Amino acid sequence: MGTRWPRCYTAGLGLALVLCAGGCQTGTEPFTGRKQYMMSMSAQDECKLGLDAWQETLKATPVSNNAEMSAAVQRVGKAIQAVASGPSTAAYQWEFVVLASKDANAFCLPGGKVAVYEGLFAYAKNDAELAAVVGHEVGHAVARHGVERMSEQQTAGYVGAALDAVLASKKLPNRELYMKAFALGAQYGAILPFSRVQEYAADQIGLMYMAQAGYTPEAAVTFWQRFAGKDAGQKSPFSDWLSTHPLDEKRIANMKQLMAKASLEYAKAPAKKNHGTAWK
Ligand SMILES: [Zn+2]
């Protein structure tokens, strides 16, 4: 994979300056310290957009009936939520749901709505591996990657006045615009890729969250290796999460590099869960 990096990866300081001319705020990404330039948007508006995208997604994809999967996502989600905090999270109302779809995928919307697809459970074998996925997705939301991307799209002329209309009236003149910004495609449930920079950041944030929540951070590496089909004889599900979360050697290498730091967080975690429940 790796041919679909979005335009934001190539956008530089010039973009930030254009953004600021139209009213912007800066943020600092948790753990990475990366400076972010974003359009001004309150946490409430961010949540409002996220909630609408969430409701549309639930209309299109039913919630799973699998009690074991749902319990696992809620158990792990609560543990990750407890350690996740950022500039918008006070306004978030967290929800952790399994969706009935064979796709091996997951996402988190601004406002704290987290979905894991049933298909992902073919690759995550225990709570700790699931925590790597949920931590990564929660990392995108806490770091406000949706707003950051929307800012980039606004600059590129994709959102513009339509967004103001959405926020002002609650009417949705062109839902597709911000669904895109929040990583959901025009066909709801189809998840679009974040930038490479945002992906690496979500990996790092997720790794720290899972460790702080008491899950063995090494499980992130075993999960990604299995997911990429690097386990003996395992076939990779290249059509799903990997199409939106491109995997290269550097990604796993980055996680390995961060392992010493993650282990320190794990050592400080008040309640060690190790790998947690294994369900297969
Ligand atoms: Zn991601």
Side-chain angles (χ1 to χ4, degrees):
M1 312 314 285
T3 55
R4 295 182 62 200
W5 301 123
R7 45 204 160 270
C8 41
Y9 181 55
T10 53
L13 187 61
L15 175 60
L17 292 173
V18 174
L19 271 176
C20 288
C24 86
Q25 55 191 150
T26 56
T28 304
E29 201 166 58
F31 298 104
T32 70
R34 179 174 70 94
K35 266 265 180 288
Q36 297 169 286
Y37 297 89
M38 292 177 275
M39 62 205 227
S40 295
M41 177 180 282
S42 70
Q44 284 70 28
D45 285 341
E46 185 187 338
C47 291
K48 197 195 289 179
L49 294 180
L51 184 63
D52 189 78
W54 178 246
Q55 285 163 348
E56 290 303 320
T57 304
L58 293 183
K59 272 188 221 163
T61 313
V63 171
S64 170
N65 292 322
N66 188 309
E68 194 187 5
M69 290 179 184
S70 296
V73 164
Q74 279 171 27
R75 181 171 64 237
V76 169
K78 277 198 181 120
I80 296 290
Q81 171 198 336
V83 298
S85 72
S88 298
T89 46
Y92 281 19
Q93 292 189 308
W94 294 98
E95 216 176 314
F96 300 91
V97 166
V98 178
L99 296 182
S101 164
K102 296 284 171 237
D103 288 353
N105 216 330
F107 67 84
C108 178
L109 289 166
K113 310 301 185 190
V114 181
V116 176
Y117 290 74
E118 284 177 358
L120 196 89
F121 284 79
Y123 303 94
K125 300 296 186 189
N126 54 48
D127 281 8
E129 292 187 353
L130 183 61
V133 173
V134 172
H136 173 101
E137 296 301 337
V138 166
H140 277 309
V142 171
R144 306 186 82 207
H145 286 167
V147 176
E148 191 179 16
R149 184 156 64 173
M150 196 152 36
S151 310
E152 288 150 359
Q153 290 174 346
Q154 183 184 40
T155 308
Y158 289 119
V159 179
L163 181 69
D164 296 337
V166 169
L167 293 173
S169 67
K170 272 185 148 184
K171 275 269 182 197
L172 308 171
N174 194 345
R175 180 173 281 130
E176 193 183 327
L177 294 173
Y178 65 85
M179 296 296 273
K180 221 180 225 175
F182 290 155
L184 294 164
Q187 292 174 313
Y188 306 131
I191 303 166
L192 301 175
F194 281 102
S195 74
R196 185 192 289 245
V197 166
Q198 289 174 325
E199 282 305 311
Y200 289 156
D203 284 347
Q204 181 169 350
I205 298 165
L207 196 61
M208 299 307 153
Y209 283 165
M210 71 183 286
Q212 289 177 344
Y215 295 108
T216 306
E218 284 83 2
V221 173
T222 58
F223 167 77
W224 277 104
Q225 284 175 334
R226 185 179 310 110
F227 200 73
K230 291 184 186 304
D231 265 14
Q234 188 109 32
K235 200 174 172 296
S236 172
F238 273 113
S239 60
D240 303 324
W241 211 32
L242 280 186
S243 66
T244 59
H245 293 78
L247 183 72
D248 50 36
E249 290 300 325
K250 196 175 165 215
R251 193 156 182 185
I252 288 178
N254 280 353
M255 278 186 242
K256 285 181 176 169
Q257 262 184 5
L258 290 164
M259 210 48 75
K261 203 175 157 195
S263 298
L264 290 177
E265 297 294 337
Y266 181 72
K268 286 188 280 182
K272 304 285 187 294
K273 301 178 185 70
N274 198 345
H275 283 91
T277 305
W279 55 81
K280 270 178 192 168

